[in-house]
Structures are given as C-alpha cells and as structure tokens.
Amino acid sequence: MIEEGVEPNSLTYSSALKACAKLEAVSQGKLIHSFANKTLALTNVFVGSALIHMYAKCDFVSEAFQVFDSMPERNLVSWKAMIMGYARNGPCREALQLMYRIEAEGFEVDDYILATVLSACGDIEWDEEPSSEILLAT
C-alpha cells in the first residue's frame, strides 16, 4: 500500500494491528507501529487501542502500557485493552490498580472487565488492605 503511494489512514492502521494481534505477529505489529509513529495516526484513540491490544496479546505488556500511558485521549476500549492485557499476562496488581483508575477517570467497570480480572487475578494476596487512595497514587 505504502509502496504504491497510498497513505494508510487510522482505520487501516487499527485493522492491520487487530490482524497482527489475532495472529500474534508482533514483529509485523511493531513495523506498523513504526509507520504509524511517523504520522498523526497515533493520536487516534482507535489506533492506540489496537496497539495496546496487539502488544498485550503478544505478551509485550510493558510496550502496551507505554502506548497506553502516552495516549492523549483514552476511551473505554483503550482502558479495557490495557486492563485485560495486565490480567491475562500476570501483572494482576496493575490490572486492579487500573480498575480503580478507570473509575476515577469517569468510566464504569463493566461485568466483562470485572469477570475477567477476578477469574485471572482472584487468588492475588495483598500485603495490606488496599484502599482506593493507595491504588490511585501508584
């Protein structure tokens, strides 16, 4: 597409990244990320959410969080992608912390997020009683 002189748009990037996530093709996803990085596409919430999903699905959770953290705007999809990425890849404390943060940002934790996090992280042991103040501060 690019070789033909056609510039991809946000829909193209997000669709290609979803395909990479489904195939767990992180090297192709990173290549798409580098192309998107040279355009305004990364400011698009759907491209950012697709990147988070792709990285998390491929077990690159720290890269997913870097994308999440640098997003100028987040929607429920981007929050859900990051929380699910943490829950499914092991950092359960981070998933739980984001569940508190999402509510502080005015979004609602839906049944799907709650069920996924509880099933993946239900056996986590806290060193102390978590409070929303502690979790929001981190």
Side-chain angles (χ1 to χ4, degrees), residues 84-128:
M84 296 300 149
Y86 276 144
R88 290 182 177 148
N89 290 297
C92 288
R93 290 180 193 268
E94 288 85 348
L96 293 168
Q97 288 173 345
L98 278 185
M99 283 180 57
Y100 282 98
R101 280 185 54 198
I102 190 175
E103 289 184 329
E105 294 285 329
F107 294 98
E108 188 174 323
V109 174
D110 62 23
D111 292 340
Y112 181 75
I113 294 172
L114 187 60
T116 302
V117 171
L118 287 178
S119 66
C121 305
D123 61 348
I124 190 171
E125 293 182 20
W126 290 93
D127 295 332
E128 57 184 80

Side-chain angles (χ1 to χ4, degrees), residues 2-3 7-8 13 28-42:
I2 294 173
E3 290 175 3
E7 288 295 318
Y13 283 118
Q28 287 82 3
K30 285 183 174 186
L31 185 62
I32 293 167
H33 187 182
S34 71
F35 281 121
N37 213 16
K38 299 172 186 168
T39 69
L40 292 176
L42 281 186

